[in-house]
Amino acid sequence: MADQIINIQNVVATASVGQNFDLRSIARTIPGVEYRPETFPGLVYRLKKPKTATLIFSSGKMVCTGAKSERQSKKAVMKVLEDLKKSGIVITRKPDIQIQNIVASAGLGGTIDLEKTTYSLERTMYEPEQFPGLIYRMNDPKVVILLFTSGNLVITGAKKEEEVLLAVTVLKKRLEEKELIRYKKEQQ
């Protein structure tokens, strides 16, 4: 039986420094930021390392997307704030950073009978004419998992990386217990 492979695709974090920002001033002093107030109220600050985009609002609130881990997400927010300080903006306190959502993909290494899974697990939705995956709303951890016949999964809604691993482990165990997943015989 193959072990599952889990890849974090995106971490969304919010941050607040409890002070207002003059976005026009930031746009003038920091090269490469995008600020078009006529189309979007926030400023877009992109980093190459870690490769993220942070939306900065005049309220002092920020949304960072694109990180591949919780740590990377927090590092990106701190780097943006460091760059703002270097450009002359006084930041009066440490940011309150919260992970809002982790999106991950995983492969279980076997095929899943989605039709039977719909009837065997609670809180599922499967309409193959509309979407090829089964939607499973797990209670503990509180995540939503898209299951595909191929054994591939998309997990969303986690707030910690450990919740992603726990969700995949719990789901795999439930599928095995109910004989809803078939593994290919490993060749030797």
Side-chain angles (χ1 to χ4, degrees), residues 10-188:
N10 186 24
V11 176
V12 177
T14 56
S16 179
V17 291
Q19 70 184 65
N20 291 343
F21 288 131
D22 179 348
L23 299 182
R24 288 188 196 285
S25 172
I26 293 171
R28 280 193 302 271
T29 56
I30 298 179
V33 298
E34 293 173 34
Y35 183 52
R36 295 186 195 99
E38 61 284 349
T39 58
F40 183 71
L43 179 143
V44 181
Y45 195 115
R46 294 181 200 286
L47 291 177
K48 286 190 170 84
K49 195 169 183 180
K51 191 174 192 299
T52 56
T54 300
L55 305 176
I56 302 173
F57 297 94
S58 59
S59 64
K61 294 191 171 141
M62 298 182 276
V63 178
C64 177
T65 63
K68 302 294 185 190
S69 69
E70 291 176 66
R71 189 167 163 253
Q72 201 180 71
S73 185
K74 291 173 182 173
K75 184 178 174 183
V77 169
M78 295 310 287
K79 170 93 173 89
V80 167
L81 290 172
E82 192 180 295
D83 289 354
L84 291 176
K85 283 180 188 175
K86 284 180 187 169
S87 74
I89 293 161
V90 176
I91 298 185
T92 55
R93 63 171 227 211
K94 288 173 81 169
D96 174 26
I97 303 171
Q98 307 269 324
I99 302 299
Q100 299 299 327
N101 186 23
I102 298 175
V103 178
S105 60
L108 296 180
T111 56
I112 302 170
D113 184 331
L114 297 181
E115 199 69 43
K116 284 184 185 172
T117 302
T118 304
Y119 298 106
S120 298
L121 297 178
E122 293 179 5
R123 303 184 72 204
T124 62
M125 193 168 88
Y126 181 50
E127 296 179 27
E129 319 75 46
Q130 302 290 320
F131 181 70
L134 178 146
I135 301 167
Y136 175 41
R137 296 180 190 285
M138 187 178 274
N139 275 329
D140 189 22
K142 192 167 174 49
V143 297
V144 175
I145 304 174
L146 303 178
L147 291 83
F148 298 93
T149 306
S150 62
N152 290 331
L153 313 172
V154 175
I155 303 98
T156 184
K159 305 264 191 213
K160 297 181 178 310
E161 291 172 33
E162 301 86 56
E163 290 176 350
V164 173
L165 178 60
L166 179 61
V168 173
T169 304
V170 167
L171 174 65
K172 185 175 182 182
K173 185 177 179 205
R174 286 180 186 161
L175 292 174
E176 288 173 351
E177 284 171 354
K178 297 175 185 283
E179 298 180 359
L180 299 168
I181 187 166
R182 256 200 319 264
Y183 298 103
K184 298 169 189 96
K185 300 278 185 251
E186 293 186 0
Q187 299 188 358
Q188 296 182 352

